[in-house]
């Protein structure tokens, strides 16, 4: 009996060593792939331990995914060496949907009689610019606002023009209660564009990953806004109609730790029924045989994150992650 126990202990030790070796190799690959460098050996050790912990969570989740117990897959990305709380304070901000209630002038109402397509992807129809990267700046609200405006402008002119988030970060500030890299609301960013009679193009006013002085140039306008429309809060049917009949729609969501590690599939996250902390762009919807109904969402964390910068999020599951609670788009 003792010999059996000893052998089992050796086998367990062998598996532990093997997994540790794998983690070590993955850590070295991770640093190279994501061009990671740290200020000191102590910081690198801390980042390594955080990476190990996150990678173990990812591996456990993916074992369940492989056994059809999860609807989405997780993976390593540029944030895997960060604690969620650290990421939250750096990249996310609270979004208070009640703040916007007093701002709303127009509410979208779908036609009385309409038939929605079973799926739609505005990327394939030319209305979506390439995935962008907000960097270490909580300017998701600006990227969400430009995303819906780029789409609506394309549908009007048939020309896809990338618009300047930096213009919004620098100029849509105190009067609109937006706070640059510390958060804001897409609705108010679009109101700025309407009041300002334009927003500059991305090429003329490039993103700099920080808030600077306003340098708006009326000679470089890429789009204008006539008015801003909200979609009925918490109504996924109305959001689907807006996406299908109008174009890409700006929305607010709650980003959980599960969301952070997403790579593939349909995110079904029962833990994300919390106050919104991020703004993104819904560019379509559809149905997946394993994950069910989904929203196709463009994020602003670069193409290395998620599924080439995108995520499919659960649709028709009681407004999961609050995805239909703060939907808006511009009239152009």
């Amino acid at each position: 009996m003792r010999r059996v126990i000893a052998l089992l202990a050796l086998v367990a030790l062998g598996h532990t060593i093997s997994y540790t070796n794998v983690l070590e190799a993955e850590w070295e690959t991770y640093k190279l792939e994501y061009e990671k460098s740290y200020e000191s050996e102590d910081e690198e050790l801390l980042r390594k331990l955080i990476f190990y912990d996150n990678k173990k969570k990812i591996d456990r989740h993916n074992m369940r995914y492989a056994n059809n117990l999860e609807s989405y897959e997780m993976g390593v990305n540029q944030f895997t060496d960060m604690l969620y709380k650290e990421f939250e304070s750096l990249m996310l901000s609270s979004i208070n949907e009640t703040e916007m209630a007093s701002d709303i002038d127009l509410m979208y109402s779908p036609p009385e009689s309409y038939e929605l397509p079973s799926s739609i992807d505005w990327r394939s129809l030319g209305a979506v610019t390439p995935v962008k990267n907000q960097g270490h700046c909580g300017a998701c609200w600006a990227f969400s606002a430009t995303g819906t405006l780029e789409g609506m402008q394309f549908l009007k002119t048939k020309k896809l023009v990338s618009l300047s988030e930096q213009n919004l970060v620098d100029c849509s500030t105190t009067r609109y209660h937006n706070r640059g890299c510390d958060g804001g609301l897409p609705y108010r960013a679009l109101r700025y564009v309407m009041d300002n009679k334009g927003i500059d193009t991305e090429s003329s006013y490039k993103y700099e990953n920080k808030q600077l002085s306003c340098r708006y140039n009326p000679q470089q306008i890429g789009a204008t806004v006539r008015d801003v429309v909200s979609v009925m809060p918490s109504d996924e049917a109305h959001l689907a109609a807006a996406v299908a009949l109008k174009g890409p729609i700006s929305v607010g969501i709650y980003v959980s730790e599960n969301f952070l590690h997403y790579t593939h599939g349909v995110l079904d996250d029962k833990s994300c029924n919390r106050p919104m902390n991020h703004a993104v762009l819904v560019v379509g919807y559809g149905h997946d045989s394993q994950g069910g109904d989904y929203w196709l969402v463009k994020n602003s964390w670069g193409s290395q994150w998620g599924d080439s910068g995108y995520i499919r999020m659960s649709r028709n599951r009681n407004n999961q992650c609050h995805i239909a609670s703060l939907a808006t788009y511009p009239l152009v």
Side-chain angles (χ1 to χ4, degrees):
M1 184 65 178
R2 286 182 181 177
R3 185 178 178 185
V4 171
I5 293 173
L7 286 172
L8 287 173
L10 285 172
V11 169
L13 180 60
H15 281 300
T16 302
I17 292 171
S18 176
Y19 187 52
T20 301
N21 290 343
V22 169
L23 285 175
E24 178 66 33
E26 289 178 331
W27 168 245
E28 295 300 327
T29 300
Y30 175 77
K31 288 189 294 180
L32 289 173
E33 182 177 352
Y34 292 94
E35 299 179 346
K36 296 284 185 173
S37 61
Y38 305 101
E39 292 183 358
S40 66
E41 290 184 4
D42 287 343
E43 186 190 356
E44 178 161 347
L45 177 59
L46 174 63
R47 295 298 167 191
K48 178 179 178 178
L49 293 174
I50 293 171
F51 174 86
Y52 277 19
D53 188 48
N54 283 330
K55 188 60 170 59
K56 289 173 184 176
K57 292 176 185 175
I58 290 167
D59 290 344
R60 287 195 297 268
H61 175 93
N62 286 345
M63 286 182 67
R64 296 194 300 273
Y65 175 76
N67 290 314
N68 295 319
L69 299 175
E70 298 284 356
S71 60
Y72 64 100
E73 191 172 7
M74 288 183 173
V76 167
N77 59 43
Q78 66 266 44
F79 308 121
T80 310
D81 62 346
M82 297 175 68
L83 295 169
Y84 174 74
K85 285 293 184 183
E86 179 185 13
F87 173 86
E88 186 178 35
S89 64
L90 185 66
M91 300 278 288
L92 305 174
S93 61
S94 61
I95 297 177
N96 188 346
E97 60 186 289
T98 59
E99 276 186 35
M100 202 182 83
S102 60
D103 294 343
I104 294 174
D105 292 326
L106 297 176
M107 185 70 70
Y108 173 67
S109 181
E112 290 186 7
S113 178
Y114 64 94
E115 184 175 347
L116 295 183
S118 59
S119 65
I120 190 166
D121 182 347
W122 284 109
R123 297 175 303 179
S124 64
L125 299 170
V128 183
T129 57
V131 171
K132 302 180 184 183
N133 194 339
Q134 69 187 75
H136 289 170
C137 169
C140 58
W141 58 276
F143 287 82
S144 181
T146 58
T148 184
L149 182 49
E150 288 164 350
M152 299 303 169
Q153 183 76 359
F154 168 80
L155 292 172
K156 179 180 179 180
T157 66
K158 304 307 176 187
K159 294 180 181 179
L160 185 63
V161 177
S162 185
L163 301 174
S164 173
E165 292 78 25
Q166 193 67 43
N167 186 169
L168 297 177
V169 170
D170 293 344
C171 308
S172 176
T173 53
T174 306
R175 177 182 172 186
Y176 299 92
H177 305 288
N178 293 322
R179 304 181 304 279
C181 288
D182 294 321
L185 288 174
Y187 184 93
R188 290 174 176 170
L190 294 169
R191 288 293 295 266
Y192 157 79
V193 178
M194 181 177 72
D195 295 343
N196 193 56
K197 297 181 172 55
I199 180 175
D200 284 348
T201 62
E202 182 84 47
S203 60
S204 69
Y205 199 157
K206 295 186 181 298
Y207 187 64
E208 299 188 57
N209 196 25
K210 57 186 175 181
Q211 185 176 2
L212 299 167
S213 60
C214 182
R215 291 156 287 155
Y216 168 73
N217 183 350
Q219 303 303 314
Q220 299 292 342
I221 289 176
T224 58
V225 170
R226 291 189 293 111
D227 217 326
V228 187
V229 183
S230 295
V231 180
M232 183 67 69
S234 306
D235 192 320
E236 290 191 82
H238 278 214
L239 178 56
V243 172
L245 303 177
K246 295 298 180 180
I249 305 293
S250 165
V251 298
I253 59 170
Y254 175 74
V255 167
S256 66
E257 191 169 353
N258 295 329
F259 183 107
L260 190 60
H261 299 306
Y262 168 92
T263 58
H264 181 71
V266 177
L267 181 76
D268 181 12
D269 186 2
K270 297 174 179 61
S271 72
C272 73
N273 187 26
R274 300 180 63 182
M276 290 175 285
N277 58 8
H278 190 47
V280 290
L281 184 72
V282 175
V283 301
Y285 60 79
H287 180 84
D288 178 81
S289 58
Q290 182 173 341
D293 291 347
Y294 66 82
W295 297 107
L296 178 61
V297 175
K298 180 187 181 185
N299 202 358
S300 54
W301 297 345
S303 58
Q304 288 182 310
W305 178 84
D307 191 351
S308 299
Y310 287 83
I311 181 171
R312 289 184 293 163
M313 300 179 66
S314 289
R315 178 169 61 97
N316 297 328
R317 290 191 179 169
N318 298 315
N319 191 27
Q320 195 174 97
C321 301
H322 292 280
I323 195 164
S325 296
L326 199 69
T328 189
Y329 68 91
L331 297 178
V332 298

